[in-house]
Amino acid sequence: MKVDNKHYCSIWHAETGRSVYVIDQRWLPHRFEVKELTSIEAVEIAIREMWVRGAPLIGAAAAYGMALLALSDPASAQLEEGAAFLKASRPTAVNLAWAVDRMLALLMQKDAASRAAAAWAEAAKIAAEDVAANNTIGVHGATLLHELALRLRRPLNVLTHCNAGWLATVDWGTALAPVYKAHAQGVRLHVWVDETRPRNQGASLTAWELGHEGVPHTVIADNAGGHLMQHGMVDIAIVGCDRVTASGDVCNKIGTYLKALAAHDNGVPFYAAMPFATLDMTLDDGVREIPIEERSAREVTHITGLAADERLVEVRLTPAGSAAANFGFDVTPHRLMTGLITEKGIYPATRKALAAACAKI
Ligand code: MRU
């Protein structure tokens, strides 16, 4: 998608095949910085410290991390150790483990001398597949938005949580791909952007993306969604996901569940956009089984923003002695989901539908 009218992906590799470039998302929307990563250690830091974030993007980044390791140290034991190292960096989004396991399985079939080239090609393939899946999610989701707009005969109000846009993927995004496609097709719409405390991915990243694509949007405090839904000001909610279980339970950024409850109470359709790489058919009950990342309390007690003199400054919000807790994700039970927008079409969030979708090529 576009930054100042120039096309960017969130990750791309150097032509030398020896490094990978990422947009360092920690400083957006105030500073646009590209970083070059040249080792698996650098990739692990970029994932853990959230220079890159979003389930599909951390999967693609981890795949490139494995490719960088295959260049420097292609022995089987080293690759296995590297895979475990990357998988421990963030536990909730299944895309990370999925991509690392896929890379490792492929590399173990190769002899050490051919591993680097194979790894590089596979990482590029994972990235390209992500772009293609999100593009198709966009097509299916835009049809849904178009039909809703025709029925309502007025501009649509779409609510989204966190950032499930192109910055969270390699390109297009998941939840925002339908918005971008529908907007380009002339569907009149406006996006309510949940700020998404504590890291504010909505206020800082989603708003920035939508602005660069010219999509009308308004940033709201996380607590505003229920009120807007009660007053008919939200026509549809579309969120991303970090892991979806076989039963259709959806794990996404903390606060998603509360929005789904409010949507259910007010008859607002509530969708998650899900590339199949985010489906974990090995788990069933999302609330009990999905590991929820707990991050530093400092993300709750402190906040970073632009000061009047244009410096980025961090300030404390809470009393020095107050404890804080920081759960990164929550699980929305499948009964609250209207559907899942996937690259294979739109499915109900049910065990039966997901099993059938998996069987479909
Ligand atoms: O902690 P983050 O910023 O990695 O969390 C991101 C989300 O929860 C997204 O909604 C999800 O990964 C879907 S991204 C297409």
Side-chain angles (χ1 to χ4, degrees), residues 25 50 52-58 90 93 95 134 161-169 173-176 196 199 201 205 239-243 251-254 256 273 275 278 293 295 328-329:
Q25 301 187 23
M50 292 177 68
V52 292
R53 27 68 49 203
L57 176 55
I58 61 178
R90 292 198 72 192
N95 306 57
N134 300 333
H161 191 69
C162 193
N163 172 262
W166 70 269
L167 288 168
T169 65
T174 57
L176 291 190
T196 319
R199 285 188 69 100
Q201 289 94 328
L205 305 177
V239 299
C241 46
D242 291 83
R243 196 185 293 232
C251 181
N252 190 47
K253 180 54 55 194
I254 193 82
T256 303
T278 310
E293 177 180 7
R295 298 187 57 83
F329 300 90

Side-chain angles (χ1 to χ4, degrees), residues 234-254:
V234 180
D235 299 310
I236 185 169
I238 310 181
V239 299
C241 46
D242 291 83
R243 196 185 293 232
V244 176
T245 67
S247 66
D249 291 347
V250 171
C251 181
N252 190 47
K253 180 54 55 194
I254 193 82

Side-chain angles (χ1 to χ4, degrees), residues 12-290:
W12 64 98
H13 63 254
E15 289 193 356
T16 56
R18 303 198 76 81
S19 67
V20 62
Y21 294 97
V22 297
I23 298 169
D24 186 345
Q25 301 187 23
R26 292 173 300 168
W27 316 122
L28 289 173
H30 308 298
R31 280 191 210 142
F32 181 78
E33 285 184 15
V34 171
K35 295 271 166 60
E36 184 177 18
L37 309 176
T38 55
S39 66
I40 186 173
E41 290 79 13
V43 170
E44 193 271 343
I45 290 172
I47 293 172
R48 184 164 38 83
E49 295 186 356
M50 292 177 68
W51 309 13
V52 292
R53 27 68 49 203
L57 176 55
I58 61 178
Y64 277 116
M66 289 298 290
L68 289 166
L69 180 61
L71 272 176
S72 61
D73 212 343
S76 298
Q78 260 56 45
L79 291 173
E80 276 165 1
E81 203 179 294
F85 172 62
L86 284 173
K87 280 162 73 170
S89 58
R90 292 198 72 192
T92 300
V94 75
N95 306 57
L96 196 158
W98 168 84
V100 169
D101 287 343
R102 175 168 152 177
M103 294 292 292
L104 191 61
L106 175 94
L107 295 176
M108 287 305 166
Q109 291 165 18
K110 310 275 175 198
D111 56 62
S114 61
R115 281 178 175 163
W120 214 251
E122 191 68 3
K125 194 162 167 231
I126 286 174
E129 284 173 9
D130 179 61
V131 179
N134 300 333
N135 181 56
T136 314
I137 285 172
V139 172
H140 294 308
T143 305
L144 181 72
L145 293 178
H146 193 66
E147 286 168 2
L148 189 58
L150 284 177
R151 213 161 59 235
L152 297 176
R153 293 163 172 260
R154 57 167 171 76
L156 283 184
N157 282 305
V158 181
L159 181 136
T160 193
H161 191 69
C162 193
N163 172 262
W166 70 269
L167 288 168
T169 65
V170 179
D171 205 356
W172 282 111
T174 57
L176 291 190
V179 167
Y180 290 134
K181 296 268 184 198
H183 175 71
Q185 290 162 13
V187 176
R188 288 181 305 146
L189 50 78
H190 159 266
V191 182
W192 294 113
V193 179
D194 284 351
E195 61 177 347
T196 319
R197 283 279 292 148
R199 285 188 69 100
N200 292 311
Q201 289 94 328
S204 56
L205 305 177
T206 299
W208 183 80
E209 277 192 26
L210 292 171
H212 280 273
E213 290 294 326
V215 178
H217 63 280
T218 306
V219 179
I220 49 173
D222 285 325
N223 300 330
H227 166 77
L228 295 176
M229 291 181 196
Q230 284 176 323
H231 289 270
M233 293 164 79
V234 180
D235 299 310
I236 185 169
I238 310 181
V239 299
C241 46
D242 291 83
R243 196 185 293 232
V244 176
T245 67
S247 66
D249 291 347
V250 171
C251 181
N252 190 47
K253 180 54 55 194
I254 193 82
T256 303
Y257 170 50
L258 292 178
K259 293 294 141 40
L261 281 173
H264 189 69
D265 196 40
N266 290 282
V268 173
F270 195 90
Y271 287 88
M274 181 201 79
F276 270 81
T278 310
L279 179 62
D280 183 351
M281 291 298 275
T282 69
L283 302 186
D284 193 74
D285 180 334
V287 175
R288 283 170 192 270
E289 296 176 68
I290 296 177

